[in-house]
Amino acid sequence: MPETVVTRFAPSPTGYLHIGGARTALFNWLYARGRGGKFLLRIEDTDRARSTPEATQAILDGLEWLGLDHDGEVISQAARADRHAEVAQQLLASGKAYKCFSTQEEIQQFREAARAEGRSTLFQSPWRDADPATHPDAPFVIRIKAPREGATVIKDRVQGNVTIRNDQLDDMVLLRSDGTPVYMLAVAVDDHDMGVTHVIRGDDHLNNAARQMMIYDAMGWPLPVYAHIPLIHGPDGKKLSKRHGALSAAEYRKMGYPAAAMRNYLARLGWSHGDDEFFTDEEARAWFDLDGIGKAPARFDFKKLANLSGRHIAAMEDAALLHELQGYLQATGQPPLPDDRAKLLETALFCLKDRAKTFAELVDKAAFILNDRPIQPDAAAAAALDDVSRGILSELTPHLQTASWTREDLEAAAMQFAASIDTKFGKLAAPMRAALAGRTATPSVFDMLLVLGREESLARLRDAARDRG
Ligand code: GLU
């Protein structure tokens, strides 16, 4: 029976869930979910000075918004320190690690001498093969006995075989003199204990893989599959900064992108499936694989994101769209839509959905149903309501009043009226938009009339026709 795939996302809670982290989480989620596997979440909170509960919460919130649900409990790396120390002790007992009593000054002296003699400055401890009988009663660290000959090959599914000469790797510290485990040990032990089969993460961790592999080897543990993905670059080709607030998942939510669009866009950021740009979660789960991950850094492109976002909004089920729209309003500190407004908006979605690239645009386009009378025109709309236009509106209103409120009838009434005053309907449209919505860019005039209904529409037209002084 093939082994169950287990992936994990292991963020350090030192900042928000930035877009690179979100992409890493997504890749791990897709890989596991597409294979009936497990997707685990581990918070790497061992750096007590820089880790904050707020950052952990921001990461959890970001993942929740993106719909990247994890299996089991959230694992705290810091809470597992005893287990990490236990593995260091095990390696010590098996002779794969040793106590090193060298002081900082001695290490410094070693490096200076090595530099002066043109040798490698990687510290080589004199305690590596020392007889324990010679051990002093002094503070010590536990170091791993790194192989000195040969090479370590990381068989990376994205980068290919990456060879690191073992003389480039030192006997890294596993346990500090105060008994605390180092990060590298924590990651290897946690990944092993969590049963992680595939480590998919940013290629800034590629060098760490060689060190983590050393711990796996020393413990005799089977290695996970590694896939180190190129980092995301900005539109200018430069590396996206990790703690760039404007690029946190929360910021994208506030800009009004639906989570499905973010998932689609982030999946395409470094991974491809033929020429497919727009796809559903189901397709992404079925298609996602490590072979489709590119070696070159992907560039973040707002235009592509906006395009996909518009397509996802258009494709969303009404109920799901309204639900997510409420979340957007909440995230941006706007009051939620009361039930009656939400219902009205639902009746208008047919003419809004395929016109908005973001929820922000959707709300803007929906202004005609979200605002109450008297409608306050914006500057452009106010300009469309000059004296002549207001005169036209007041003449038009009785014609509409007698129309049955169907699209055909309303269109016929408006066209006839336009012909009667020897003008084109296009000339009526701008003041009508201004009167009905207070905007110049709106859904079609007839769509708005139908959604608003006879009474409300006529009242708005009359409001606008009236001289505002
Ligand atoms: N905690 C690391 C980070 O936030 C990830 C470590 C890993 O994936 O192995 O970059």
Side-chain angles (χ1 to χ4, degrees):
M1 205 179 84
E3 65 173 354
T4 306
V5 164
V6 180
T7 64
R8 68 4 175 226
F9 177 49
S12 305
T14 54
Y16 301 104
L17 175 64
H18 57 91
I19 214 67
R23 197 244 337 222
T24 300
L26 174 72
F27 279 18
N28 280 285
W29 181 81
L30 285 174
Y31 194 77
R33 292 282 176 263
R35 288 164 180 77
K38 285 192 162 54
F39 170 64
L40 308 180
L41 179 61
R42 178 173 79 230
I43 302 291
E44 301 211 317
D45 48 358
T46 49
D47 184 344
R48 302 313 274 175
R50 288 174 54 223
S51 302
T52 66
E54 291 77 24
T56 299
Q57 197 52 50
I59 291 167
L60 296 176
D61 291 347
L63 291 174
E64 191 185 337
W65 171 58
L66 285 167
L68 305 182
D69 59 320
H70 59 86
D71 294 298
E73 298 288 309
V74 180
I75 290 162
S76 152
Q77 188 159 64
R80 293 178 37 83
D82 288 350
R83 166 66 181 151
H84 306 146
E86 181 185 293
V87 169
Q89 295 296 347
Q90 239 172 297
L91 289 171
L92 185 64
S94 65
K96 307 268 185 183
Y98 60 95
K99 292 182 183 176
C100 170
F101 298 87
S102 298
T103 62
Q104 282 309 317
E105 293 77 50
E106 286 164 353
I107 294 172
Q108 192 62 26
Q109 278 164 15
F110 175 94
R111 294 223 166 99
E112 274 160 26
R115 198 171 296 121
E117 291 163 29
R119 285 188 284 115
S120 158
T121 55
L122 283 185
F123 179 57
Q124 298 204 346
S125 171
W127 298 99
R128 179 170 159 125
D129 299 307
D131 179 350
T134 65
H135 284 177
D137 182 16
F140 60 88
V141 298
I142 295 182
R143 288 182 185 274
I144 195 162
K145 268 189 199 169
R148 291 209 168 146
E149 259 95 69
T152 298
V153 180
I154 307 164
K155 293 191 178 130
D156 195 88
R157 286 291 302 275
V158 176
Q159 313 285 337
N161 283 355
V162 179
T163 303
I164 298 178
R165 274 176 27 210
N166 286 337
D167 61 9
Q168 310 276 312
L169 301 169
D170 61 358
D171 289 353
M172 73 175 162
V173 172
L174 299 176
L175 219 55
R176 299 186 189 91
S177 57
D178 63 2
T180 57
V182 300
Y183 169 71
M184 214 62 75
L185 174 66
V187 173
V189 173
D190 288 349
D191 281 343
H192 167 265
D193 289 2
M194 288 159 69
V196 171
T197 58
H198 292 72
V199 172
I200 306 169
R201 62 186 172 193
D203 66 7
D204 49 336
H205 288 281
L206 184 60
N207 281 329
N208 290 348
R211 294 172 173 278
Q212 289 158 9
M213 281 167 66
M214 222 191 272
I215 297 168
Y216 273 85
D217 280 349
M219 288 300 291
W221 292 335
L223 285 175
V225 172
Y226 286 107
H228 287 93
I229 53 185
L231 299 184
I232 302 169
H233 284 191
D236 56 358
K238 295 202 182 114
K239 214 159 91 175
L240 278 187
S241 119
K242 206 173 176 185
R243 285 172 203 85
H244 200 319
L247 294 166
S248 68
E251 290 299 326
Y252 288 94
R253 179 179 207 189
K254 286 189 198 155
M255 286 185 251
Y257 297 108
M262 279 316 279
R263 286 193 294 273
N264 184 165
Y265 181 67
L266 289 177
R268 281 288 293 110
L269 218 44
W271 171 79
S272 57
H273 178 266
D275 294 331
D276 293 303
E277 289 292 345
F278 174 79
F279 40 78
T280 63
D281 286 328
E282 225 173 24
E283 288 167 328
R285 281 194 293 265
W287 294 341
F288 188 82
D289 59 1
L290 302 179
D291 294 335
I293 300 175
K295 263 180 146 179
R299 282 194 189 200
F300 199 88
D301 179 347
F302 267 105
K303 270 208 200 105
K304 262 193 185 174
L305 170 59
N307 176 285
L308 283 177
S309 177
R311 293 173 71 179
H312 276 278
I313 288 178
M316 267 166 107
E317 300 276 343
D318 288 358
L321 192 153
L322 282 175
H323 180 75
E324 219 180 316
L325 183 71
Q326 296 279 27
Y328 159 77
L329 293 174
Q330 194 185 8
T332 48
Q334 302 180 64
L337 292 180
D339 281 352
D340 56 338
R341 280 298 145 111
K343 283 216 181 77
L344 194 56
L345 180 58
E346 194 166 354
T347 64
L349 283 179
F350 75 94
C351 64
L352 293 168
K353 261 177 156 180
D354 52 5
R355 301 173 59 93
K357 291 198 158 54
T358 61
F359 288 131
E361 278 185 29
L362 188 92
V363 168
D364 188 55
K365 297 249 154 57
F368 78 100
I369 34 172
L370 300 181
N371 295 337
D372 288 320
R373 284 180 57 216
I375 298 296
Q376 297 300 326
D378 64 18
L385 288 172
D386 57 13
D387 287 348
V388 177
S389 300
R390 288 209 305 274
I392 292 176
L393 285 184
S394 66
E395 281 181 56
L396 165 69
T397 313
H399 293 266
L400 295 179
Q401 203 164 4
T402 52
S404 75
W405 217 255
T406 62
R407 184 181 301 271
E408 297 72 34
D409 243 36
L410 286 168
E411 273 182 18
M415 299 304 163
Q416 264 169 29
F417 171 72
S420 76
I421 61 165
D422 215 14
T423 186
K424 291 214 165 80
F425 172 70
K427 280 263 192 284
L428 304 186
M432 284 179 83
R433 287 180 201 280
L436 295 171
R439 310 281 163 106
T440 47
T442 68
S444 102
V445 165
F446 298 106
D447 286 339
M448 289 195 289
L449 290 173
L450 288 170
V451 170
L452 289 170
R454 181 196 299 269
E455 206 183 317
E456 179 72 16
S457 301
L458 292 173
R460 289 186 186 197
L461 291 168
R462 283 193 202 106
D463 285 349
R466 209 168 294 139
D467 191 356
R468 280 161 204 271

